[in-house]
Amino acid sequence: MKLLFILDPLESLKAYKDTSLAIMREAANRGHELFVSQQHDLFLRGDIAKINAKKFTFTEQLFSTEGAIEYVPADFNAVIMRKDPPFDNEYLYSTYLLEIAANQGAKVYNNPSAIRGWNEKLSVTRFPQFTPEFLVTANNDLIREFLKQHQDIVVKPLDGMGGSSIFRLGLKDPNISVILETITNFGTRTIMAQRYLPAILQGDKRIIVIDGTPLPYSLARIPMAGETRGNLAAGGTGVAQLLSERDLEIATTVGKVLKQAGLFLVGLDVIGDYLTEINVTSPTGMVEIAKQTQHLIQPCNPASVMMDAMERHAAL
């Protein structure tokens, strides 16, 4: 297959842990051709979607690329969108262009209209049976009422990633006003508030769902001492662990809906028994799960599972 990955700048990727590179290495080992682009390499000429792409090869030094050539996205067996958030206007425009490309025959993963329609924070509201109590608003008075009701809450922007700008608030916090003013930009930016879940101390579990089916292991991201965020980018420690019965219930139920929506690779965030986020842009955690399970009786290589599923799709 010819596979095109739309990525952040290659020099910004951490080769020892990057999920995109893990998927690409697995694909290369199977003999597939790899190409890379960045977000703004995608464009329209008239009504035809085009993209400038470079051939990518793994080397002893790490990798090499050739000069960019203009293609139509349908020239590739799969176009894999793996640019990180924030989901800003430029990301939004990219989903429109990718949707046009898909209508012109390109196979795009994840479905660009689904990426646009499944906000990573708000999408949990589609599954209220699995979520903690939450509030979505820009109104600081409503957030204060929610805090008074639940005593201990977490507030977070709707477009963040890696644990950025997430705050835990208690009733006696002396910084309530400045935190709410900052995160809502004085009542002009909509945010999500959720009841604080003490189970975060046992880890914020990342469950990877591929083509509707969850992997048997999650990556529990355990906060460092004194921290309430488990995100690896915020200093958390990732520990691979088998899914619990509740994890499996959440992931299989949600996975069926994700597959129907065309969301091929998704990362669910589960704290304790509750679904807190649905990551549809560039979910991570594959490298850590593969490394920590490689010596077990039943190892789990997420990148291999991903490529198995992609090869099945290509054969359809």
Side-chain angles (χ1 to χ4, degrees), residues 18 56 87 110 126 135 152 164 167 189 219 227 284:
D18 188 82
F56 176 102
F87 197 103
N110 287 322
R126 300 171 187 249
L135 172 73
D152 197 352
S164 63
F167 296 94
R189 181 187 300 124
L219 186 71
E227 178 61 79
T284 61

Side-chain angles (χ1 to χ4, degrees), residues 76-299:
F76 301 94
N77 296 94
V79 177
I80 300 99
M81 177 59 159
R82 288 282 304 170
K83 188 194 179 304
D84 283 341
F87 197 103
D88 54 14
N89 279 341
E90 290 304 308
Y91 209 124
L92 176 67
Y93 302 148
S94 293
T95 67
Y96 288 131
L97 295 180
L98 286 169
E99 186 173 17
I100 292 170
N103 290 336
Q104 294 173 357
K107 291 186 176 181
V108 184
Y109 303 87
N110 287 322
N111 180 296
S113 62
I115 291 178
R116 195 166 60 242
W118 285 65
N119 175 274
E120 298 192 325
K121 307 299 189 291
L122 288 176
S123 292
V124 300
T125 65
R126 300 171 187 249
F127 306 97
Q129 70 272 38
F130 298 136
T131 63
E133 294 85 347
F134 62 84
L135 172 73
V136 177
T137 184
N139 187 311
N140 287 355
D141 291 335
L142 292 179
I143 300 171
R144 286 179 178 274
E145 290 176 10
F146 187 77
L147 173 59
K148 185 176 181 180
Q149 177 184 1
H150 295 288
Q151 310 288 307
D152 197 352
I153 67 172
V154 170
V155 292
K156 53 189 175 181
L158 297 181
D159 61 352
M161 65 165 291
S164 63
S165 300
I166 294 178
F167 296 94
R168 178 183 176 186
L169 285 178
L171 276 176
K172 297 182 179 180
D173 194 314
N175 298 307
I176 291 175
S177 293
V178 68
I179 288 174
L180 294 185
E181 289 167 3
T182 299
I183 196 168
T184 68
N185 194 24
F186 295 91
T188 65
R189 181 187 300 124
T190 302
I191 62 98
M192 173 175 274
Q194 289 179 330
R195 175 172 62 84
Y196 173 73
L197 300 171
I200 184 63
L201 298 178
Q202 285 76 53
D204 181 353
K205 294 173 283 188
R206 165 59 55 83
I207 302 173
I208 297 174
V209 180
I210 298 173
D211 199 23
T213 301
L215 298 181
Y217 290 90
S218 69
L219 186 71
R221 298 160 298 171
I222 300 170
M224 63 182 181
E227 178 61 79
T228 59
R229 300 169 299 170
N231 308 75
L232 301 185
T237 300
V239 178
Q241 59 185 36
L242 283 168
L243 300 190
S244 68
E245 288 187 11
R246 175 66 169 180
D247 293 340
L248 194 58
E249 178 189 8
I250 293 172
T252 53
T253 302
V254 176
K256 292 176 183 177
V257 181
L258 296 174
K259 183 172 182 175
Q260 292 173 351
L263 291 166
F264 185 80
L265 174 62
V266 177
L268 307 181
D269 289 349
V270 174
I271 299 175
D273 291 333
Y274 296 95
L275 176 67
T276 60
E277 291 188 18
I278 299 176
N279 297 273
V280 302
T281 50
S282 57
T284 61
M286 285 192 177
V287 175
E288 293 86 352
I289 291 174
K291 284 183 177 179
Q292 294 186 36
T293 65
Q294 62 183 335
H295 300 302
L296 301 180
I297 295 175
Q298 292 183 317

